């Protein structure tokens, strides 16, 4: 059952009184970060100001996830469909990884965070790739929270590429049709090596997945909020985890 929450703007810190069980913290949380443009528009500001404010929310969410004991935080930073946006906005979005990591990388290293990225790199600008590669290289030995950016990511393309790879393996004789299992597909997805998200969060009141981790979220708990991403804070993550803990995950069974 999907439970919708209204914004908690009337409360100063709405998640502060929520009690969480340390024994049932979701291992992998994925977030569709939505609402930067609408946040800026409400304030009469350019959309890029919303994206800059959204970058601050990324830091808050990362710190909060680490404090709550979440092991993996996957953030939908840029989709394969986002290239349809105006060029000046896309150019700015492509500069954000460089800007964010220039400011935050040293602290991420200090906090033992490991940066990863999943996405299609062939279309990304060199400066975007360079910033991500530096962060990945400098944090690869860290053993704390995995901060996984979905950058130029599209799930349908991901699955299509996985199927093509399997077809090539069958053609070459490396794999037989009878050998193909769900594990075969999963091992060829961009998220290979990571467990499926336990909890998927989407901000801004939209109720759809928008081509994000369609395979991986088959049994994820979904939590939607009207809060726009730049306003997202630790208390909202706490509320989402609290709702996650109130649910029973049956995976198609009865218990």
């Amino acid at each position: 059952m999907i439970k919708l929450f209204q914004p908690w703007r009337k409360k100063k810190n709405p998640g502060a009184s929520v009690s969480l069980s340390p024994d049932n913290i979701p291992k992998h949380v994925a977030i569709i970060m939505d609402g930067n443009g609408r946040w800026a528009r409400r304030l009469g500001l350019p959309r890029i100001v919303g994206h800059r404010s959204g970058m601050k929310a990324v830091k808050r969410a990362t710190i909060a996830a680490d404090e709550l004991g979440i092991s993996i935080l996957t953030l939908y930073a840029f989709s394969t469909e986002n290239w349809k946006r105006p060029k000046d906005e896309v150019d700015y979005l492509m500069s954000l990884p460089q800007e964010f990591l220039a400011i935050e990388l040293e602290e991420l290293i200090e906090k033992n965070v490991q940066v990863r990225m999943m996405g299609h790199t062939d279309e990304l600008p060199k400066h975007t790739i360079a910033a991500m590669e530096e962060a990945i290289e400098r944090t690869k030995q860290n053993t704390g929270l995995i901060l996984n950016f979905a950058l130029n990511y599209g799930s349908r393309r991901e699955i299509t590429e996985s199927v093509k790879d399997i077809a090539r393996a069958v053609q070459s004789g490396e794999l037989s049709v009878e050998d193909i299992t769900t594990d075969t597909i999963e091992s060829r997805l961009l998220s290979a090596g990571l467990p499926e998200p336990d909890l998927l969060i989407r901000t801004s009141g939209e109720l759809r997945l928008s081509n994000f981790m369609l395979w991986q979220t088959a049994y994820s708990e979904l939590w939607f909020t009207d809060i726009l991403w730049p306003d997202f804070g630790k208390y909202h993550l706490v509320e989402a985890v609290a709702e996650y803990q109130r649910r029973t995950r049956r995976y198609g069974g009865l218990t």
Side-chain angles (χ1 to χ4, degrees):
M1 176 179 176
I2 299 172
K3 186 171 182 179
L4 308 182
F5 281 78
Q6 298 301 316
W8 300 278
R9 290 192 176 93
K10 293 182 180 179
K11 300 180 182 179
K12 184 176 180 182
N13 192 354
S17 61
V18 175
S19 179
L20 298 179
S21 167
D23 299 325
N24 190 23
I25 299 295
K27 182 175 183 178
H28 185 177
V29 174
I31 304 180
I32 300 175
M33 306 179 292
D34 195 16
N36 291 344
R38 273 166 284 176
W39 181 90
R41 186 169 62 248
R42 286 183 182 179
L43 298 175
L45 299 170
R47 288 176 61 85
I48 62 172
V49 177
H51 294 309
R52 178 179 285 272
S53 295
M55 187 173 69
K56 297 176 183 177
V58 168
K59 181 176 181 178
R60 291 197 301 270
T62 302
I63 292 172
D66 190 38
E67 290 175 348
L68 291 177
I70 293 166
S71 300
I72 305 157
L73 180 65
T74 294
L75 301 177
Y76 202 9
F78 190 89
S79 77
T80 50
E81 290 73 38
N82 286 156
W83 296 105
K84 300 173 186 176
R85 296 186 178 189
K87 185 178 184 302
D88 59 343
E89 182 176 352
V90 170
D91 289 345
Y92 184 74
L93 288 169
M94 288 296 105
S95 73
L96 280 181
Q98 189 175 20
E99 184 177 347
F100 175 78
L101 292 167
I103 298 169
E104 308 296 347
L105 183 55
E106 294 303 326
E107 185 173 351
L108 291 174
I109 293 171
E110 290 175 10
K111 290 184 177 296
N112 198 30
V113 172
Q114 182 185 130
V115 176
R116 295 193 190 182
M117 181 192 126
M118 66 178 193
H120 310 285
T121 60
D122 48 330
E123 292 130 338
L124 294 174
K126 291 182 180 179
H127 62 83
T128 305
I129 296 173
M132 293 305 305
E133 286 180 344
E134 179 186 358
I136 292 168
E137 177 63 27
R138 293 184 61 190
T139 63
K140 66 181 182 181
Q141 301 300 328
N142 290 353
T143 57
L145 173 75
I146 293 174
L147 178 58
N148 183 37
F149 290 100
L151 188 58
N152 195 30
Y153 173 87
S155 190
R156 286 183 173 182
R157 179 175 172 183
E158 172 190 37
I159 295 170
T160 300
E161 293 299 327
S162 171
V163 171
K164 287 180 179 179
D165 190 42
I166 293 170
R168 284 190 287 267
V170 172
Q171 274 187 329
S172 68
E174 175 189 342
L175 193 68
S176 71
V177 172
E178 289 72 23
D179 291 332
I180 299 173
T181 64
T182 55
D183 290 340
T184 309
I185 296 172
E186 288 169 1
S187 68
R188 288 164 166 80
L189 296 177
L190 294 170
S191 60
L194 294 177
E196 296 175 350
D198 300 294
L199 173 64
L200 172 68
I201 297 169
R202 179 163 189 160
T203 60
S204 87
E206 301 292 349
L207 308 179
R208 55 179 176 269
L209 296 181
S210 295
N211 199 21
F212 182 56
M213 300 187 82
L214 302 179
W215 177 283
Q216 298 91 333
T217 57
Y219 285 102
S220 300
E221 295 298 319
L222 309 180
W223 189 83
F224 300 97
T225 175
D226 289 340
I227 290 293
L228 301 176
W229 177 246
D231 292 329
F232 192 87
K234 178 177 180 178
Y235 32 92
H236 303 115
L237 183 59
V238 169
E239 288 283 356
V241 173
E243 173 61 16
Y244 169 85
Q245 293 189 347
R246 285 191 284 269
R247 300 181 187 180
T248 301
R249 305 182 74 191
R250 299 184 178 89
Y251 299 96
L254 298 179
T255 59

